[in-house]
Amino acid sequence: MLNHLLSEYQLGNTTLKNRVVMAPLTRSRAEGNVPNSLMTTYYANRATAGLIITEGTSPSFNGLGYPRIPGNFSTEQAEGWKKVTEAVHEDGGKIFLQLMHCGRVSHPDNLPAGGRVLAPSPVEMTETQMYVDGKGMLDIPVAQEMSIDDITFAVKEYATSAKLAIDAGFDGIELHAANGYLLEQFIHPKTNLRTDQFGGSVENRLRFIRNVTEATVAAIGADRVGMRISPYGYFNEMGEFDSVDETFTTLAEMMNEIGIAYLHLVDHEAMGAPAVPQSIKTQLRETFKRTIILSGGYTAQDADSDIGAGKGDLVAFGRPFIANPDLVERFREQAELNIPDQDTFYTPGPEGYITYPTLAETV
Ligand SMILES: Cc1cc2nc3c(=O)[nH]c(=O)nc-3n(C[C@H](O)[C@H](O)[C@H](O)COP(=O)(O)O)c2cc1C
């Protein structure tokens, strides 16, 4: 049973004890944007995953769109993360830091003094509001268009943050180029209306992500860099566009050339989004020569069978990991899973964060 899913895997220079990945999950417990002991406990409790990918973490003071999400651009933040990586490693796990610059999906009230809401172009978000502590849901003001200096600075921020991450003990980083955040805002023609070398053609729309990836790889090495993408994703007002297949296939070719360790594919159909065509997943699998991580609505059985069929090498589980710290053990035992409580996904404090029982605690 689950022979594929529970088998070892070599991801770049990181050996994973199984192919169960904990998907990146924003949990909004980082008061002051600094990782804390609650987070250390939460991640350490999930160290039986083959690989943990952390919640979206901002590489920049401009990139913290949501309340209480962690950053990784200051010494204090990196020191907080160091305690997390040490605890996960002590328990035999591996952990990548997801670098998420929110770009336009942000409210200025969630940024530190001097922080700016930035985007490739000033395109209004019309259907999305943002939560601000003490104020509730607020409309999102239109982001400022990034100057060439802003772009150059942001590229450096990613590379610096990646270096800080390795110094803090992470096994690698994942560039969050999915779900409508900054990197995808450059890729997508709806949010990128630029007429300079960063907008227009496929090549131009991919220039920012190329520069970010190359700078990050130069800082920490290609084996330690992965990337998450969401072609046909609708989250944060994105959606389909004319050249979507060509754009993402060209991106996969580019990432082959740069040599990053993995591509991680998002599919949010299980969360109510329109289906992602199997054709683009197949095309990306064929184009990208290194590791593919699949995700979205997976059960252990489906994951095992998709790995067996060669559709991907690893499978990431999101909501199941929220509610089941010992998810791998439960898979192995074919045990029932705890049900995640949506009301505590983003609330501060331990409730619904480190309070889900393990199998042993249930028995
Ligand atoms: C509470 C919550 C927070 C999430 N935060 C992130 C995030 O920070 N970065 C990211 O790439 N995806 C994020 N996602 C998406 C998940 O990684 C995953 O793609 C999604 O939950 C679908 O997988 P599942 O069906 O196994 O839950 C989040 C999902 C949930 C439910």
PDB file of all heavy atoms in Angstrom, residues 23-27 55-56 98 100 176 179 228 266-268 270-271 295-298 316-320 322 345-346, ligand 1:
ATOM      1  N   ALA A  23       2.078  21.260   1.895  1.00  0.00           N
ATOM      2  CA  ALA A  23       1.912  22.426   1.008  1.00  0.00           C
ATOM      3  C   ALA A  23       2.083  23.718   1.798  1.00  0.00           C
ATOM      4  O   ALA A  23       1.844  23.750   3.005  1.00  0.00           O
ATOM      5  CB  ALA A  23       0.521  22.383   0.378  1.00  0.00           C
ATOM      6  N   PRO A  24       2.493  24.782   1.119  1.00  0.00           N
ATOM      7  CA  PRO A  24       2.588  26.075   1.806  1.00  0.00           C
ATOM      8  C   PRO A  24       1.222  26.543   2.279  1.00  0.00           C
ATOM      9  O   PRO A  24       0.263  26.534   1.511  1.00  0.00           O
ATOM     10  CB  PRO A  24       3.147  27.012   0.724  1.00  0.00           C
ATOM     11  CG  PRO A  24       2.881  26.329  -0.579  1.00  0.00           C
ATOM     12  CD  PRO A  24       2.860  24.865  -0.294  1.00  0.00           C
ATOM     13  N   LEU A  25       1.123  26.942   3.536  1.00  0.00           N
ATOM     14  CA  LEU A  25      -0.165  27.311   4.143  1.00  0.00           C
ATOM     15  C   LEU A  25       0.001  28.551   5.015  1.00  0.00           C
ATOM     16  O   LEU A  25       0.622  28.474   6.078  1.00  0.00           O
ATOM     17  CB  LEU A  25      -0.680  26.152   5.006  1.00  0.00           C
ATOM     18  CG  LEU A  25      -1.051  24.873   4.245  1.00  0.00           C
ATOM     19  CD1 LEU A  25      -1.065  23.672   5.185  1.00  0.00           C
ATOM     20  CD2 LEU A  25      -2.395  25.028   3.549  1.00  0.00           C
ATOM     21  N   THR A  26      -0.532  29.651   4.574  1.00  0.00           N
ATOM     22  CA  THR A  26      -0.546  30.875   5.372  1.00  0.00           C
ATOM     23  C   THR A  26      -1.411  30.653   6.607  1.00  0.00           C
ATOM     24  O   THR A  26      -2.563  30.241   6.484  1.00  0.00           O
ATOM     25  CB  THR A  26      -1.100  32.035   4.519  1.00  0.00           C
ATOM     26  OG1 THR A  26      -0.140  32.334   3.510  1.00  0.00           O
ATOM     27  CG2 THR A  26      -1.372  33.278   5.353  1.00  0.00           C
ATOM     28  N   ARG A  27      -0.865  30.886   7.789  1.00  0.00           N
ATOM     29  CA  ARG A  27      -1.628  30.643   9.019  1.00  0.00           C
ATOM     30  C   ARG A  27      -1.691  31.874   9.930  1.00  0.00           C
ATOM     31  O   ARG A  27      -2.321  31.837  10.985  1.00  0.00           O
ATOM     32  CB  ARG A  27      -1.039  29.436   9.763  1.00  0.00           C
ATOM     33  CG  ARG A  27      -1.009  28.118   8.961  1.00  0.00           C
ATOM     34  CD  ARG A  27      -2.354  27.678   8.413  1.00  0.00           C
ATOM     35  NE  ARG A  27      -3.400  27.686   9.404  1.00  0.00           N
ATOM     36  CZ  ARG A  27      -3.601  26.718  10.319  1.00  0.00           C
ATOM     37  NH1 ARG A  27      -2.834  25.644  10.327  1.00  0.00           N
ATOM     38  NH2 ARG A  27      -4.569  26.807  11.194  1.00  0.00           N
ATOM     39  N   GLU A  55       4.648  28.344   5.002  1.00  0.00           N
ATOM     40  CA  GLU A  55       3.694  29.370   4.596  1.00  0.00           C
ATOM     41  C   GLU A  55       4.400  30.469   3.796  1.00  0.00           C
ATOM     42  O   GLU A  55       5.614  30.691   3.964  1.00  0.00           O
ATOM     43  CB  GLU A  55       3.087  29.984   5.856  1.00  0.00           C
ATOM     44  CG  GLU A  55       4.107  30.718   6.729  1.00  0.00           C
ATOM     45  CD  GLU A  55       3.694  30.734   8.197  1.00  0.00           C
ATOM     46  OE1 GLU A  55       2.925  31.622   8.596  1.00  0.00           O
ATOM     47  OE2 GLU A  55       4.166  29.835   8.924  1.00  0.00           O
ATOM     48  N   GLY A  56       3.631  31.183   2.971  1.00  0.00           N
ATOM     49  CA  GLY A  56       4.180  32.300   2.213  1.00  0.00           C
ATOM     50  C   GLY A  56       4.842  33.310   3.142  1.00  0.00           C
ATOM     51  O   GLY A  56       4.237  33.744   4.124  1.00  0.00           O
ATOM     52  N   GLN A  98       8.893  29.229   1.633  1.00  0.00           N
ATOM     53  CA  GLN A  98       8.222  29.813   0.466  1.00  0.00           C
ATOM     54  C   GLN A  98       8.349  31.339   0.502  1.00  0.00           C
ATOM     55  O   GLN A  98       7.884  31.988   1.443  1.00  0.00           O
ATOM     56  CB  GLN A  98       6.733  29.444   0.399  1.00  0.00           C
ATOM     57  CG  GLN A  98       6.145  29.915  -0.941  1.00  0.00           C
ATOM     58  CD  GLN A  98       4.654  29.738  -1.093  1.00  0.00           C
ATOM     59  OE1 GLN A  98       3.889  30.234  -0.283  1.00  0.00           O
ATOM     60  NE2 GLN A  98       4.234  29.058  -2.146  1.00  0.00           N
ATOM     61  N   MET A 100       7.074  34.658  -0.698  1.00  0.00           N
ATOM     62  CA  MET A 100       5.847  35.222  -1.269  1.00  0.00           C
ATOM     63  C   MET A 100       5.878  36.739  -1.121  1.00  0.00           C
ATOM     64  O   MET A 100       5.788  37.252  -0.005  1.00  0.00           O
ATOM     65  CB  MET A 100       4.623  34.645  -0.540  1.00  0.00           C
ATOM     66  CG  MET A 100       3.312  35.319  -0.897  1.00  0.00           C
ATOM     67  SD  MET A 100       1.853  34.498  -0.170  1.00  0.00           S
ATOM     68  CE  MET A 100       1.772  35.256   1.444  1.00  0.00           C
ATOM     69  N   HIS A 176       7.285  31.747  -4.876  1.00  0.00           N
ATOM     70  CA  HIS A 176       5.826  31.681  -5.049  1.00  0.00           C
ATOM     71  C   HIS A 176       5.454  32.501  -6.292  1.00  0.00           C
ATOM     72  O   HIS A 176       5.336  33.720  -6.227  1.00  0.00           O
ATOM     73  CB  HIS A 176       5.145  32.236  -3.807  1.00  0.00           C
ATOM     74  CG  HIS A 176       3.672  31.947  -3.731  1.00  0.00           C
ATOM     75  ND1 HIS A 176       2.981  31.352  -4.766  1.00  0.00           N
ATOM     76  CD2 HIS A 176       2.759  32.167  -2.747  1.00  0.00           C
ATOM     77  CE1 HIS A 176       1.696  31.221  -4.407  1.00  0.00           C
ATOM     78  NE2 HIS A 176       1.550  31.708  -3.190  1.00  0.00           N
ATOM     79  N   ASN A 179      -0.954  31.892  -7.756  1.00  0.00           N
ATOM     80  CA  ASN A 179      -2.051  32.477  -6.966  1.00  0.00           C
ATOM     81  C   ASN A 179      -2.150  34.000  -6.990  1.00  0.00           C
ATOM     82  O   ASN A 179      -2.672  34.610  -6.063  1.00  0.00           O
ATOM     83  CB  ASN A 179      -1.969  31.990  -5.512  1.00  0.00           C
ATOM     84  CG  ASN A 179      -2.051  30.467  -5.415  1.00  0.00           C
ATOM     85  OD1 ASN A 179      -2.345  29.808  -6.405  1.00  0.00           O
ATOM     86  ND2 ASN A 179      -1.792  29.910  -4.251  1.00  0.00           N
ATOM     87  N   ARG A 228       6.632  27.601  -7.460  1.00  0.00           N
ATOM     88  CA  ARG A 228       5.219  27.200  -7.511  1.00  0.00           C
ATOM     89  C   ARG A 228       4.479  28.045  -8.553  1.00  0.00           C
ATOM     90  O   ARG A 228       4.622  29.268  -8.566  1.00  0.00           O
ATOM     91  CB  ARG A 228       4.576  27.390  -6.130  1.00  0.00           C
ATOM     92  CG  ARG A 228       3.260  26.655  -6.010  1.00  0.00           C
ATOM     93  CD  ARG A 228       2.770  26.554  -4.586  1.00  0.00           C
ATOM     94  NE  ARG A 228       1.958  25.354  -4.463  1.00  0.00           N
ATOM     95  CZ  ARG A 228       0.837  25.258  -3.747  1.00  0.00           C
ATOM     96  NH1 ARG A 228       0.402  26.293  -3.063  1.00  0.00           N
ATOM     97  NH2 ARG A 228       0.158  24.140  -3.713  1.00  0.00           N
ATOM     98  N   VAL A 266      -0.107  24.104  -8.930  1.00  0.00           N
ATOM     99  CA  VAL A 266      -1.300  24.359  -8.117  1.00  0.00           C
ATOM    100  C   VAL A 266      -2.545  23.954  -8.897  1.00  0.00           C
ATOM    101  O   VAL A 266      -2.638  24.182 -10.101  1.00  0.00           O
ATOM    102  CB  VAL A 266      -1.407  25.870  -7.782  1.00  0.00           C
ATOM    103  CG1 VAL A 266      -2.765  26.198  -7.155  1.00  0.00           C
ATOM    104  CG2 VAL A 266      -0.280  26.299  -6.846  1.00  0.00           C
ATOM    105  N   ASP A 267      -3.509  23.370  -8.197  1.00  0.00           N
ATOM    106  CA  ASP A 267      -4.826  23.092  -8.771  1.00  0.00           C
ATOM    107  C   ASP A 267      -5.849  23.298  -7.658  1.00  0.00           C
ATOM    108  O   ASP A 267      -5.881  22.527  -6.705  1.00  0.00           O
ATOM    109  CB  ASP A 267      -4.869  21.648  -9.291  1.00  0.00           C
ATOM    110  CG  ASP A 267      -6.211  21.325  -9.937  1.00  0.00           C
ATOM    111  OD1 ASP A 267      -7.203  22.010  -9.634  1.00  0.00           O
ATOM    112  OD2 ASP A 267      -6.261  20.365 -10.734  1.00  0.00           O
ATOM    113  N   HIS A 268      -6.646  24.341  -7.784  1.00  0.00           N
ATOM    114  CA  HIS A 268      -7.585  24.658  -6.709  1.00  0.00           C
ATOM    115  C   HIS A 268      -9.019  24.262  -7.030  1.00  0.00           C
ATOM    116  O   HIS A 268      -9.961  24.805  -6.457  1.00  0.00           O
ATOM    117  CB  HIS A 268      -7.480  26.146  -6.330  1.00  0.00           C
ATOM    118  CG  HIS A 268      -6.281  26.439  -5.478  1.00  0.00           C
ATOM    119  ND1 HIS A 268      -5.829  27.697  -5.197  1.00  0.00           N
ATOM    120  CD2 HIS A 268      -5.429  25.597  -4.830  1.00  0.00           C
ATOM    121  CE1 HIS A 268      -4.761  27.626  -4.413  1.00  0.00           C
ATOM    122  NE2 HIS A 268      -4.487  26.372  -4.184  1.00  0.00           N
ATOM    123  N   ALA A 270     -10.462  21.612  -6.112  1.00  0.00           N
ATOM    124  CA  ALA A 270     -11.054  21.071  -4.879  1.00  0.00           C
ATOM    125  C   ALA A 270     -11.478  22.187  -3.916  1.00  0.00           C
ATOM    126  O   ALA A 270     -12.194  21.934  -2.952  1.00  0.00           O
ATOM    127  CB  ALA A 270     -10.061  20.139  -4.189  1.00  0.00           C
ATOM    128  N   MET A 271     -11.018  23.409  -4.194  1.00  0.00           N
ATOM    129  CA  MET A 271     -11.438  24.542  -3.351  1.00  0.00           C
ATOM    130  C   MET A 271     -12.468  25.401  -4.094  1.00  0.00           C
ATOM    131  O   MET A 271     -12.694  26.560  -3.731  1.00  0.00           O
ATOM    132  CB  MET A 271     -10.223  25.376  -2.954  1.00  0.00           C
ATOM    133  CG  MET A 271      -9.188  24.534  -2.210  1.00  0.00           C
ATOM    134  SD  MET A 271      -8.245  25.417  -0.940  1.00  0.00           S
ATOM    135  CE  MET A 271      -7.400  26.613  -1.895  1.00  0.00           C
ATOM    136  N   SER A 295      -0.317  19.063  -6.635  1.00  0.00           N
ATOM    137  CA  SER A 295      -1.066  19.432  -5.424  1.00  0.00           C
ATOM    138  C   SER A 295      -2.517  19.728  -5.747  1.00  0.00           C
ATOM    139  O   SER A 295      -2.865  19.982  -6.895  1.00  0.00           O
ATOM    140  CB  SER A 295      -0.439  20.662  -4.755  1.00  0.00           C
ATOM    141  OG  SER A 295      -0.664  21.824  -5.517  1.00  0.00           O
ATOM    142  N   GLY A 296      -3.345  19.701  -4.700  1.00  0.00           N
ATOM    143  CA  GLY A 296      -4.736  20.131  -4.831  1.00  0.00           C
ATOM    144  C   GLY A 296      -5.736  19.006  -4.716  1.00  0.00           C
ATOM    145  O   GLY A 296      -5.915  18.219  -5.649  1.00  0.00           O
ATOM    146  N   GLY A 297      -6.379  18.890  -3.566  1.00  0.00           N
ATOM    147  CA  GLY A 297      -7.478  17.944  -3.390  1.00  0.00           C
ATOM    148  C   GLY A 297      -7.072  16.484  -3.363  1.00  0.00           C
ATOM    149  O   GLY A 297      -7.908  15.607  -3.588  1.00  0.00           O
ATOM    150  N   TYR A 298      -5.825  16.205  -3.067  1.00  0.00           N
ATOM    151  CA  TYR A 298      -5.351  14.815  -3.107  1.00  0.00           C
ATOM    152  C   TYR A 298      -5.718  14.007  -1.868  1.00  0.00           C
ATOM    153  O   TYR A 298      -5.663  14.505  -0.751  1.00  0.00           O
ATOM    154  CB  TYR A 298      -3.824  14.786  -3.266  1.00  0.00           C
ATOM    155  CG  TYR A 298      -3.401  14.777  -4.714  1.00  0.00           C
ATOM    156  CD1 TYR A 298      -3.015  15.957  -5.356  1.00  0.00           C
ATOM    157  CD2 TYR A 298      -3.418  13.596  -5.454  1.00  0.00           C
ATOM    158  CE1 TYR A 298      -2.634  15.947  -6.695  1.00  0.00           C
ATOM    159  CE2 TYR A 298      -3.042  13.578  -6.793  1.00  0.00           C
ATOM    160  CZ  TYR A 298      -2.657  14.752  -7.406  1.00  0.00           C
ATOM    161  OH  TYR A 298      -2.296  14.732  -8.723  1.00  0.00           O
ATOM    162  N   ALA A 316       1.864  17.370  -2.820  1.00  0.00           N
ATOM    163  CA  ALA A 316       1.692  18.247  -1.660  1.00  0.00           C
ATOM    164  C   ALA A 316       0.249  18.197  -1.166  1.00  0.00           C
ATOM    165  O   ALA A 316      -0.689  18.180  -1.960  1.00  0.00           O
ATOM    166  CB  ALA A 316       2.069  19.676  -2.019  1.00  0.00           C
ATOM    167  N   PHE A 317       0.111  18.182   0.155  1.00  0.00           N
ATOM    168  CA  PHE A 317      -1.191  18.159   0.827  1.00  0.00           C
ATOM    169  C   PHE A 317      -1.317  19.430   1.659  1.00  0.00           C
ATOM    170  O   PHE A 317      -0.410  19.738   2.446  1.00  0.00           O
ATOM    171  CB  PHE A 317      -1.298  16.934   1.744  1.00  0.00           C
ATOM    172  CG  PHE A 317      -1.209  15.623   1.007  1.00  0.00           C
ATOM    173  CD1 PHE A 317       0.031  15.076   0.670  1.00  0.00           C
ATOM    174  CD2 PHE A 317      -2.358  14.943   0.631  1.00  0.00           C
ATOM    175  CE1 PHE A 317       0.128  13.869  -0.020  1.00  0.00           C
ATOM    176  CE2 PHE A 317      -2.271  13.730  -0.053  1.00  0.00           C
ATOM    177  CZ  PHE A 317      -1.029  13.200  -0.387  1.00  0.00           C
ATOM    178  N   GLY A 318      -2.411  20.154   1.485  1.00  0.00           N
ATOM    179  CA  GLY A 318      -2.607  21.401   2.207  1.00  0.00           C
ATOM    180  C   GLY A 318      -3.486  21.216   3.416  1.00  0.00           C
ATOM    181  O   GLY A 318      -3.014  20.966   4.534  1.00  0.00           O
ATOM    182  N   ARG A 319      -4.821  21.303   3.207  1.00  0.00           N
ATOM    183  CA  ARG A 319      -5.763  21.232   4.336  1.00  0.00           C
ATOM    184  C   ARG A 319      -5.603  19.983   5.194  1.00  0.00           C
ATOM    185  O   ARG A 319      -5.718  20.070   6.423  1.00  0.00           O
ATOM    186  CB  ARG A 319      -7.183  21.417   3.809  1.00  0.00           C
ATOM    187  CG  ARG A 319      -7.429  22.868   3.346  1.00  0.00           C
ATOM    188  CD  ARG A 319      -8.617  22.999   2.440  1.00  0.00           C
ATOM    189  NE  ARG A 319      -8.402  22.271   1.182  1.00  0.00           N
ATOM    190  CZ  ARG A 319      -9.336  22.051   0.287  1.00  0.00           C
ATOM    191  NH1 ARG A 319     -10.563  22.476   0.505  1.00  0.00           N
ATOM    192  NH2 ARG A 319      -9.043  21.402  -0.831  1.00  0.00           N
ATOM    193  N   PRO A 320      -5.278  18.812   4.587  1.00  0.00           N
ATOM    194  CA  PRO A 320      -5.075  17.644   5.466  1.00  0.00           C
ATOM    195  C   PRO A 320      -3.951  17.860   6.491  1.00  0.00           C
ATOM    196  O   PRO A 320      -4.031  17.356   7.611  1.00  0.00           O
ATOM    197  CB  PRO A 320      -4.715  16.522   4.487  1.00  0.00           C
ATOM    198  CG  PRO A 320      -5.367  16.940   3.192  1.00  0.00           C
ATOM    199  CD  PRO A 320      -5.261  18.439   3.169  1.00  0.00           C
ATOM    200  N   ILE A 322      -3.183  20.776   7.832  1.00  0.00           N
ATOM    201  CA  ILE A 322      -3.628  21.718   8.865  1.00  0.00           C
ATOM    202  C   ILE A 322      -4.177  20.926  10.046  1.00  0.00           C
ATOM    203  O   ILE A 322      -3.851  21.197  11.201  1.00  0.00           O
ATOM    204  CB  ILE A 322      -4.713  22.672   8.303  1.00  0.00           C
ATOM    205  CG1 ILE A 322      -4.084  23.639   7.293  1.00  0.00           C
ATOM    206  CG2 ILE A 322      -5.426  23.424   9.445  1.00  0.00           C
ATOM    207  CD1 ILE A 322      -5.051  24.633   6.676  1.00  0.00           C
ATOM    208  N   PHE A 345      -8.304  29.062  10.498  1.00  0.00           N
ATOM    209  CA  PHE A 345      -7.187  29.032   9.531  1.00  0.00           C
ATOM    210  C   PHE A 345      -6.226  30.214   9.746  1.00  0.00           C
ATOM    211  O   PHE A 345      -5.021  30.054   9.674  1.00  0.00           O
ATOM    212  CB  PHE A 345      -7.718  29.079   8.091  1.00  0.00           C
ATOM    213  CG  PHE A 345      -8.157  27.736   7.539  1.00  0.00           C
ATOM    214  CD1 PHE A 345      -8.125  26.583   8.315  1.00  0.00           C
ATOM    215  CD2 PHE A 345      -8.596  27.629   6.219  1.00  0.00           C
ATOM    216  CE1 PHE A 345      -8.518  25.349   7.794  1.00  0.00           C
ATOM    217  CE2 PHE A 345      -8.992  26.392   5.695  1.00  0.00           C
ATOM    218  CZ  PHE A 345      -8.955  25.258   6.484  1.00  0.00           C
ATOM    219  N   TYR A 346      -6.793  31.395   9.982  1.00  0.00           N
ATOM    220  CA  TYR A 346      -5.959  32.617  10.005  1.00  0.00           C
ATOM    221  C   TYR A 346      -6.021  33.387  11.318  1.00  0.00           C
ATOM    222  O   TYR A 346      -5.576  34.525  11.385  1.00  0.00           O
ATOM    223  CB  TYR A 346      -6.402  33.553   8.874  1.00  0.00           C
ATOM    224  CG  TYR A 346      -6.422  32.913   7.510  1.00  0.00           C
ATOM    225  CD1 TYR A 346      -7.627  32.631   6.860  1.00  0.00           C
ATOM    226  CD2 TYR A 346      -5.231  32.594   6.854  1.00  0.00           C
ATOM    227  CE1 TYR A 346      -7.647  32.043   5.593  1.00  0.00           C
ATOM    228  CE2 TYR A 346      -5.246  32.004   5.587  1.00  0.00           C
ATOM    229  CZ  TYR A 346      -6.463  31.735   4.976  1.00  0.00           C
ATOM    230  OH  TYR A 346      -6.476  31.160   3.743  1.00  0.00           O
TER     231      TYR A 346
HETATM  232  C1  LIG B   1      -5.412  28.254   4.916  1.00  0.00           C
HETATM  233  C2  LIG B   1      -4.697  28.150   3.597  1.00  0.00           C
HETATM  234  C3  LIG B   1      -3.565  28.925   3.394  1.00  0.00           C
HETATM  235  C4  LIG B   1      -2.838  28.810   2.184  1.00  0.00           C
HETATM  236  N1  LIG B   1      -1.687  29.530   2.034  1.00  0.00           N
HETATM  237  C5  LIG B   1      -0.916  29.348   0.936  1.00  0.00           C
HETATM  238  C6  LIG B   1       0.360  29.979   0.825  1.00  0.00           C
HETATM  239  O1  LIG B   1       0.836  30.706   1.711  1.00  0.00           O
HETATM  240  N2  LIG B   1       1.071  29.747  -0.312  1.00  0.00           N
HETATM  241  C7  LIG B   1       0.601  28.941  -1.320  1.00  0.00           C
HETATM  242  O2  LIG B   1       1.297  28.747  -2.321  1.00  0.00           O
HETATM  243  N3  LIG B   1      -0.587  28.328  -1.220  1.00  0.00           N
HETATM  244  C8  LIG B   1      -1.342  28.486  -0.127  1.00  0.00           C
HETATM  245  N4  LIG B   1      -2.526  27.793  -0.002  1.00  0.00           N
HETATM  246  C9  LIG B   1      -2.896  26.785  -1.017  1.00  0.00           C
HETATM  247  C10 LIG B   1      -2.417  25.391  -0.566  1.00  0.00           C
HETATM  248  O3  LIG B   1      -1.005  25.307  -0.617  1.00  0.00           O
HETATM  249  C11 LIG B   1      -2.977  24.266  -1.470  1.00  0.00           C
HETATM  250  O4  LIG B   1      -2.623  24.514  -2.813  1.00  0.00           O
HETATM  251  C12 LIG B   1      -4.499  24.150  -1.347  1.00  0.00           C
HETATM  252  O5  LIG B   1      -4.884  24.074   0.016  1.00  0.00           O
HETATM  253  C13 LIG B   1      -5.043  22.929  -2.096  1.00  0.00           C
HETATM  254  O6  LIG B   1      -4.511  21.746  -1.562  1.00  0.00           O
HETATM  255  P1  LIG B   1      -5.414  20.787  -0.579  1.00  0.00           P
HETATM  256  O7  LIG B   1      -6.634  20.417  -1.381  1.00  0.00           O
HETATM  257  O8  LIG B   1      -4.521  19.615  -0.300  1.00  0.00           O
HETATM  258  O9  LIG B   1      -5.763  21.601   0.621  1.00  0.00           O
HETATM  259  C14 LIG B   1      -3.293  27.931   1.167  1.00  0.00           C
HETATM  260  C15 LIG B   1      -4.455  27.175   1.378  1.00  0.00           C
HETATM  261  C16 LIG B   1      -5.155  27.276   2.576  1.00  0.00           C
HETATM  262  C17 LIG B   1      -6.377  26.415   2.784  1.00  0.00           C
END
